[in-house]
């Protein structure tokens, strides 16, 4: 990235351009690039939190369903045994 900035300044100097304007433009580009990197980092962090949260919720729901099925199985086995004994 530093090489690109240096090349831009070299071109500006070779064409006798305004180095102040070129510097301001490059500064604005660097600020935007830094902001985009920061946003990307925040997005990835948020996405990671959403994925982990969803995964934990999904596992919890599966556990609850398994417990309900286990209880229903136990209940129906008890009813079946009671009917068989009579």
């Amino acid at each position: 990235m530093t090489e690109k900035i240096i090349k831009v300044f070299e071109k500006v100097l070779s064409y006798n351009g305004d180095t102040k304007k070129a510097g301001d433009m490059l500064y604005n580009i660097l600020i935007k690039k830094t902001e985009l990197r920061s946003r990307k980092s925040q997005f990835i962090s948020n996405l990671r939190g959403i994925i982990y949260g969803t995964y934990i919720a999904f596992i919890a729901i599966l556990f609850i369903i398994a417990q309900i099925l286990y209880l229903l199985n136990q209940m129906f086995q008890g009813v079946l045994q009671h009917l068989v004994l009579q």
Side-chain angles (χ1 to χ4, degrees):
M1 178 148 140
T2 308
E3 292 178 20
K4 289 181 182 180
I5 293 171
I6 292 171
K7 286 181 183 180
V8 169
F9 272 110
E10 286 176 353
K11 286 185 180 181
V12 168
L13 289 173
S14 68
Y15 292 128
N16 293 326
D18 188 2
T19 55
K20 171 118 175 73
K21 284 184 181 178
D24 290 341
M25 288 173 60
L26 288 172
Y27 176 76
N28 290 335
I29 290 170
L30 287 174
I31 292 294
K32 287 179 184 178
K33 196 167 191 175
T34 304
E35 288 174 357
L36 287 175
R37 284 183 180 167
S38 175
R39 286 184 188 172
K40 178 183 172 186
S41 175
Q42 288 175 349
F43 175 76
I44 290 172
S45 177
N46 291 339
L47 184 63
R48 189 177 298 137
I50 289 169
I51 289 172
Y52 289 152
T54 303
Y55 177 73
I56 290 170
F58 180 70
I59 296 300
I61 289 170
L62 287 178
F63 178 76
I64 291 169
I65 290 171
Q67 290 298 315
I68 290 171
L69 290 175
Y70 175 75
L71 290 174
L72 286 173
N73 185 24
Q74 294 297 320
M75 184 176 70
F76 286 123
Q77 280 183 355
V79 169
L80 182 62
Q81 287 177 357
H82 182 68
L83 290 174
V84 169
L85 291 176
Q86 286 183 349

